[in-house]
Amino acid sequence: MSPNQKFRFKEGPGIFSPKNLVELRRPGAGVANQAGDLVLVSVSEYSFDDQKNKKSLIVAPIESSAKPLEIQVRVVSLVRFLNVHTITSQLEKGGEAFWIQSRTIAHVVEGEVGLEIYALDVALRTSSGGDTDVLATTNNPVLIAKLPNKSATNFRYSIESGVLVFSDYVYSDGNLTSVAEQDDAYESRGNSAYVYDTTFERHWDTWVGPKKSSLFSVSLYQDADRKWVFDGQFINLLQGTKHSSPVEPFGGTDDFDISRDQVVYTTLDPGLKNEYAWHTKQNVYITDIRGKSEPRELTSSMQGATHSPVLNVQGTQVAWLELDEDGYESDRAKIVIYDLEKNVRFTLTQDWDRSPDRLAFSKEGNFIYFTAGDEAKVKVFVLPVPPTPPETTTHPTLPNKYITPVALTDSKAASGIQPLFHGRLLFSQSSFTSPNDVFVIRNLRRLETSILQNEEPVHFDGQIQQITYLTESALHGMNLDSGESFWFKGALDKNVQGWILKPHGWKDGKTKKWPVGPKALGKINGLLVGILMVFEH
């Protein structure tokens, strides 16, 4: 290329350019409704033409042939596009969305002062011809709740108790409704100096201020006339504890879980006082969802970091991921189960040489599903929950079937696992050739029975069905390489895994020089996938 020639990326049919990457849809993980027949996916998509990031909600059927329903926040007409019904929700500042009934989505949007929550009903109907199913909205969005601040996030809803739990930043008094007033006073304090007596003083690119994240609950339910009732009485579940959850800077809904009556969460050990920057120790606590009891610690006080606390549906057991030593971030995470009825805690995967990252109990509470990195893939695994030992232990003596995880997937990167009724598991999956799509595994009761009846490990040979095809059209004809794994000897004669992604135009057996771009890879992730897809071309 001459010095005067302007550099330009390749574009055109069959070329996956940086522009294609930026404009490619970015789906989140799918979340099923309580009935387990619909899945909700939040999607963002940047447009160079409009120079805006457009957000939409996709509702797709899990057990029906109906076409997915796309709810866009900026589109103003009803159209059919890419085999998806598209409508407008008329909520231009849309944010998080979650299920509050099996046919009702709660959509959080910015109001003039704080946040507003709208209810949007959807229906799965049989067409007038009687031969196909149709997904559609049944009404305009209805305002059902208002929150005082725009910083509220991480929403979880208990349908059984009619309670909404979320996180927000508050000052030391823990008062949610006075945050705006205190913000004004802080901004008008007369100087811009920051004085720190404790660490951290900064999280990545953000200075730590006087507010901390806390968990709140508030009643939100339907009355006998099916009208939504919001009492606006916010309960700070961490009031007076010096706890902060989710844990900054990366914590989200994976730092707490809720059931009908309880909330379990992880927080930095309050006993560390002013030395948070030198420690990773997090404790797990459980408390009443309406704040009627003081939080009770479930961890041993001898552990390091903890993540992904989950409750079973029955409210009898809690599980979380735990690292052994304080101060370590890359130690192996182990599954710990706490029996709330017997007050016994035990480690489940003490001898398993992998590190889980997300957990979920089956609906019956007798199996635990989880994701874990394995040879640069993120697979879905399952283990039966063993009988609780007579006393707390980190090394329980258990038969092989309770300590040998069974893999349900063997490729790509799984996330967002969600057990459903009738022996099904929903999850999202991305790969070197595609961002997230939603998948479902059925007939897991047969596998669970087989695991319990056999002392030796069993092999999963069931089918996995893809539910959504959110970027199929945009990636059509790109001929992206799915990658090829290989092994070689590294330092100290250790086996090292590598991946080859062959460039666009590669033909086996043809001699040609190609540039090589080495890249360190821990496991498949969305950002890396996009970058590699561009470099292939």
Side-chain angles (χ1 to χ4, degrees), residues 351-370:
D351 299 319
W352 191 50
D353 189 24
R354 293 294 184 268
S355 190
D357 52 24
R358 292 292 183 273
L359 304 173
F361 281 102
S362 65
K363 290 295 186 182
E364 295 76 19
N366 57 343
F367 279 80
I368 191 163
Y369 291 83
F370 53 96

Side-chain angles (χ1 to χ4, degrees), residues 63-80:
E63 304 294 344
S64 165
S65 60
K67 296 176 182 177
L69 173 71
E70 179 170 3
I71 305 168
Q72 293 185 344
V73 299
R74 297 185 189 278
V75 175
V76 295
S77 61
L78 175 63
V79 299
R80 285 176 188 257

Side-chain angles (χ1 to χ4, degrees), residues 412 430-435 471 475 479-483 529 533 536:
K412 305 180 181 180
S430 62
S431 69
F432 285 126
T433 61
S434 173
T471 55
L475 295 174
N479 298 315
L480 300 173
D481 189 67
S482 59
V529 167
M533 288 194 295
E536 280 183 47

Side-chain angles (χ1 to χ4, degrees), residues 20-31 39-46 53-60 70 413 415-416 427-431 433-439 466 468-472 474-475 525-527 529 533:
N20 296 134
L21 170 62
V22 173
E23 289 193 323
L24 189 65
R25 279 180 161 185
R26 287 164 173 76
V31 180
V39 60
L40 175 67
V41 185
S42 296
V43 177
S44 65
E45 183 176 4
Y46 184 79
N53 190 40
K54 300 178 180 179
K55 295 183 178 180
S56 60
L57 306 175
I58 304 290
V59 182
E70 179 170 3
S415 62
F427 64 98
S428 296
Q429 196 174 56
S430 62
S431 69
T433 61
S434 173
N436 272 339
D437 269 307
V438 180
F439 295 77
Q466 186 169 346
T468 64
Y469 298 83
L470 299 175
T471 55
E472 182 183 55
L475 295 174
N525 66 73
L527 176 61
V529 167
M533 288 194 295

Side-chain angles (χ1 to χ4, degrees), residues 331-402:
D331 199 0
R332 179 165 61 95
K334 303 172 184 178
I335 299 175
V336 176
I337 295 178
Y338 192 100
D339 189 316
L340 295 171
E341 295 179 326
K342 298 181 179 180
N343 289 324
V344 170
R345 178 182 55 250
F346 61 97
T347 304
L348 188 59
T349 55
Q350 184 66 252
D351 299 319
W352 191 50
D353 189 24
R354 293 294 184 268
S355 190
D357 52 24
R358 292 292 183 273
L359 304 173
F361 281 102
S362 65
K363 290 295 186 182
E364 295 76 19
N366 57 343
F367 279 80
I368 191 163
Y369 291 83
F370 53 96
T371 54
D374 183 27
E375 297 184 355
K377 306 157 192 170
V378 184
K379 300 179 181 179
V380 179
F381 294 89
V382 62
L383 274 174
V385 176
T388 301
E391 59 183 8
T392 292
T393 176
T394 57
H395 292 76
T397 301
L398 298 170
N400 282 337
K401 62 186 175 184
Y402 293 113

Side-chain angles (χ1 to χ4, degrees), residues 165-235:
V165 178
F166 62 94
S167 70
D168 203 351
Y169 288 94
V170 290
Y171 289 86
S172 58
D173 63 358
N175 189 342
L176 187 68
T177 57
S178 66
V179 169
E181 181 183 346
Q182 294 186 73
D183 281 344
D184 291 340
Y186 183 76
E187 293 299 324
S188 304
R189 66 190 185 278
N191 64 75
S192 59
Y194 291 89
V195 179
Y196 294 94
D197 298 319
T198 65
T199 56
F200 293 97
E201 72 279 354
R202 186 177 175 89
H203 279 139
W204 294 90
D205 61 348
T206 304
W207 292 107
V208 175
K211 293 187 288 187
K212 290 185 177 181
S213 181
S214 193
L215 296 174
F216 294 85
S217 68
V218 63
S219 291
L220 175 64
Y221 61 93
Q222 279 187 312
D223 62 16
D225 297 324
R226 296 187 57 79
K227 292 183 179 179
W228 286 98
V229 179
F230 178 71
D231 71 1
Q233 300 299 310
F234 303 103
I235 301 170

